[in-house]
């Protein structure tokens, strides 16, 4: 039994006993397990800030953070998994939250190590951070910012700023056209929103979706299949795809 | 959202299917009827997209001889021990229950193009307004002298996934150190261009894992070059030095015959003896295509590149390996891509729904050794005379291990994605 399973079993036992499980209690329990295991070393938030660059294209943290491809991370510690209003979580993540998964040093450490193993069915496409020390650093960094207040309406579209793909962002995409075009995408990207080795693209906000396609098209993001797929897509097609995939809910 | 079918899958698949069949199909009158022959990567995708996009407005029937489908793609990974057989085998239950497709477990024996109906092996008839023919390939056994369907029980082809694949694996697993494997590779055009060479890689992986360094794998190839050749040969040198020998026609001079009794492959150069001989003969469109008069002298079916519509009959579309798809290779990915174009064209024909310009794509991933994956792919568009490549890519020799590992992991994700797209979720 892994440490995560041990904790969750303990949680379920407590719930079964009809007790309300205080968040403070959870972190105490997690801390005990944590102390008993390996992660006694201190994380370095500065190193964590550098590592967080890999997360930034999807997650915001700190003052005025908003939801993007991933949920914002303000108030993360002690938060039940999968509960931010307005964010399209996978049903797997919501279920884990309902069954007692709360984010803290320990659960984050386990999740970041191998997301798809810890929450099977998660939409998060990140493959995992295998080095123990790196996860400690990144968690230390998250702690320095997560008590900031998020934007008033974190799911609202961002104020427009000029950047790559702006012309496509100004268009109103036709979701029907997008559905037709999407048939080329769903050969690899599952329509259910599951990520099993190929990123989930279901339920993304318009802006990051369009930006990602332009970044593939111009080889800012380097990937042979995606470059080939996007090379002939025009603004109207990209806007249509963003409108269609953005309209879907992950399962 | 998938709609719930009023029809039930169980009744059709059960013992009473034949006696129920006639009144059953007769009930379908009133709505346009789209019928698909063949439940593989092309046919099942086409049935699903028509049913999904047309909803209750269209009757969709899928005729498939086998109750389950084992994918040819990833069957080499089963040989190599990376996949179990169950994981590459898929049923049709979701197509029936979630999309309302009538799945008929039977063999299509004939197409009457004037009456617009398909006759099944049990004599029942399935009428259509539009028909998709997606039978895959038939093997031309006698393209290799001495080879036959009976001989394939000793020298498996395993080029249609199923019992042949299991037979090939059993024979591979029974090889002893020092014994030789011989593959007779197929001539163009054939299903899955990189497939034979990925297969050899997987065989070598099994031998290497067992420490069978005295065994060899010899490929007798009728082609002077092959798909992803530089990538495979680089990988073979790296992972299996000295184990794999490839002979093109300028070396072996021609394949004279094979002998299932002795395990010998005779060429102009020499006679090669294998404890396991894998013969992959020449191929043509599945038999029903020729029966229906859709195939030309090449053995495959000419189509309109804008729609996959048969050049022989406006009411019929041919997709997948059976079609002549221009620059597109015969692959599960290609078939899946062509299916969507045909499904859209049929909805346009029968329901007047909007038909967008055809787009096609393909990517073929191959595994050379654990975490060493490579890929080749392209996008295509119809030109006046064929489906023409508009852009393409291929993995590079000398890539980082991390890139190759990511390519392999991507292929695993793709398998999950495409099988969901074919068989439904």
């Amino acid at each position: 039994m892994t440490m995560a399973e041990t904790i969750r079993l303990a949680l379920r036992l407590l719930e079964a006993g009809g007790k309300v499980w205080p968040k403070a209690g959870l972190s105490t329990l997690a801390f005990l397990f944590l102390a008993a295991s390996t992660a006694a070393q201190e994380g370095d938030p500065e190193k964590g800030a550098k590592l967080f660059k890999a997360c930034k294209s999807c997650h915001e943290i700190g003052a005025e953070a908003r939801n993007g491809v991933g949920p914002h991370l303000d108030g993360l510690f002690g938060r039940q998994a999968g509960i931010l209003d307005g964010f399209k979580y996978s049903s797997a993540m919501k279920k884990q939250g309902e069954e007692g998964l709360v984010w803290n040093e320990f659960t984050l450490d386990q999740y970041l190590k191998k997301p798809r193993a810890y929450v099977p069915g998660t939409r998060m496409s990140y493959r995992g951070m295998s080095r123990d020390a790196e996860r400690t650093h990144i968690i230390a960094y998250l702690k320095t910012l997560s008590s900031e207040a998020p934007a008033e309406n974190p799911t609202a579209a961002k104020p427009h700023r000029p950047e790559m793909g702006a012309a496509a962002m100004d268009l109103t995409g036709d979701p029907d056209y997008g559905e037709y075009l999407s048939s080329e995408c769903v050969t690899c990207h599952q329509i259910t929103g599951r990520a099993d080795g190929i990123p989930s693209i279901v339920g993304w906000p318009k802006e990051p979706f369009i930006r990602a396609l332009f970044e593939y098209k111009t080889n800012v993001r380097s990937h042979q299949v995606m470059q080939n797929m996007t090379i002939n897509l025009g603004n109207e097609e990209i806007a249509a795809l963003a409108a269609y995939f953005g309209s879907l809910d992950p399962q | 959202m998938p709609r719930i079918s009023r029809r039930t899958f169980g009744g059709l698949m059960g013992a009473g299917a034949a006696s129920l069949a006639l009144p059953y199909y007769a009930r379908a009158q009133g709505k346009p009827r789209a019928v698909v022959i063949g439940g593989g990567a092309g046919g099942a995708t086409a049935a699903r997209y028509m049913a999904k996009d047309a909803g209750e407005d269209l009757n969709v029937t899928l005729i498939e001889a086998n109750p389950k489908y084992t994918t040819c793609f990833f069957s080499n990974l089963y040989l190599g021990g990376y996949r179990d057989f169950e994981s590459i085998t898929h049923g049709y239950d979701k197509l029936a229950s979630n999309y309302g497709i009538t799945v008929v477990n039977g063999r299509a024996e004939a197409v009457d193009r004037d009456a617009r109906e398909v006759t099944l092996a049990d004599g029942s008839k399935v009428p259509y307004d539009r028909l998709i023919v997606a039978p895959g390939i038939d093997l031309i056994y006698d393209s290799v002298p001495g080879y036959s369907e009976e001989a394939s029980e000793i020298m498996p082809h395993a080029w249609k996934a199923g019992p042949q694949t299991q037979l090939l694996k059993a024979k591979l697993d029974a090889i002893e150190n020092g014994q030789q494997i011989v593959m007779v590779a197929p001539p163009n055009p054939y299903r899955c261009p990189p497939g034979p060479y990925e297969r050899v890689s997987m065989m070598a992986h099994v031998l290497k894992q067992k420490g069978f360094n005295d065994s060899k794998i010899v490929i007798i190839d009728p082609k002077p070059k092959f798909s992803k050749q530089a990538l495979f040969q680089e990988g073979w040198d790296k992972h299996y030095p000295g184990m794999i020998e490839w002979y093109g026609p300028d070396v072996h001079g021609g394949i004279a015959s094979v002998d299932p009794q002795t395990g010998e492959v005779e060429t102009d150069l020499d006679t090669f003896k294998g404890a396991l001989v894998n013969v992959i003969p020449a191929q043509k469109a599945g038999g029903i295509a020729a029966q229906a008069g859709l195939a030309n002298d090449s053995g495959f079916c000419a189509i309109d590149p804008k729609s996959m519509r048969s050049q022989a009959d406006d009411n019929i579309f041919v997709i997948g390996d059976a079609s002549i798809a221009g620059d597109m290779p015969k692959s599960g990915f290609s078939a899946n891509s062509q299916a969507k174009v045909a499904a859209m064209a049929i909805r346009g024909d029968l329901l007047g729904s909007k038909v967008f310009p055809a787009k096609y794509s393909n990517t073929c991933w191959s595994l050379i050794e654990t975490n060493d994956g490579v890929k080749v792919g392209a996008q295509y568009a119809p030109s006046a005379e064929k489906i023409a490549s508009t852009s393409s890519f291929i993995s590079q020799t000398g890539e980082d291990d991390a890139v190759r590992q990511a390519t392999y992991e991507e292929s695993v994700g793709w398998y999950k994605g495409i099988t969901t797209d074919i068989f439904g979720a």
Side-chain angles (χ1 to χ4, degrees), chain A residues 170-189:
Chain A
D170 288 341
L171 295 175
T172 303
D174 173 359
D176 290 341
Y177 187 37
E179 182 174 10
Y180 159 68
L181 295 170
S182 77
S183 72
E184 278 203 305
C185 314
V186 298
T187 303
C188 297
H189 299 277

Side-chain angles (χ1 to χ4, degrees), chain A residues 22-42:
Chain A
K23 282 173 185 166
L26 175 68
S27 46
T28 310
L29 180 62
F31 178 77
L32 287 174
F33 276 106
L34 204 61
S37 65
T38 52
Q41 58 177 301
E42 290 282 308

Side-chain angles (χ1 to χ4, degrees), chain B residues 333-354:
Chain B
F333 198 127
S334 292
N336 170 268
S337 175
Q338 294 155 11
K340 294 163 186 173
V341 171
M344 177 176 60
I346 288 178
R347 284 193 301 115
D349 279 8
L350 298 179
L351 304 172
S353 60
K354 187 163 181 187

Side-chain angles (χ1 to χ4, degrees), chain A residues 116 127 174 176-177 179-192 194 196-198 223-225 228-233 237 244 251, chain B residues 49 52-53 333 336 340 344 356-361 365 375 378-379 390-395 405-406 409-410 413-414 416-418 420-421 425:
Chain A
R116 289 202 291 275
R127 282 164 65 191
D174 173 359
D176 290 341
Y177 187 37
E179 182 174 10
Y180 159 68
L181 295 170
S182 77
S183 72
E184 278 203 305
C185 314
V186 298
T187 303
C188 297
H189 299 277
Q190 294 177 57
I191 194 83
T192 56
R194 270 189 72 112
D196 292 300
I198 289 193
H223 189 275
Q224 286 179 312
V225 177
N228 193 54
M229 284 288 169
T230 50
I231 198 160
N232 297 319
L233 292 178
E237 285 150 324
Y244 173 66
Q251 293 170 29
Chain B
Y49 270 73
K52 171 172 83 69
D53 294 338
F333 198 127
N336 170 268
K340 294 163 186 173
M344 177 176 60
F356 295 98
K359 284 169 67 102
Y360 303 95
S361 53
W365 286 266
K375 59 189 168 184
Q379 283 216 299
T390 54
S391 60
S392 66
F393 65 87
I394 184 165
S395 293
Q405 183 176 345
E409 287 173 5
E410 182 180 284
W414 163 76
K416 179 74 182 129
I418 193 170
T420 303
D421 199 38

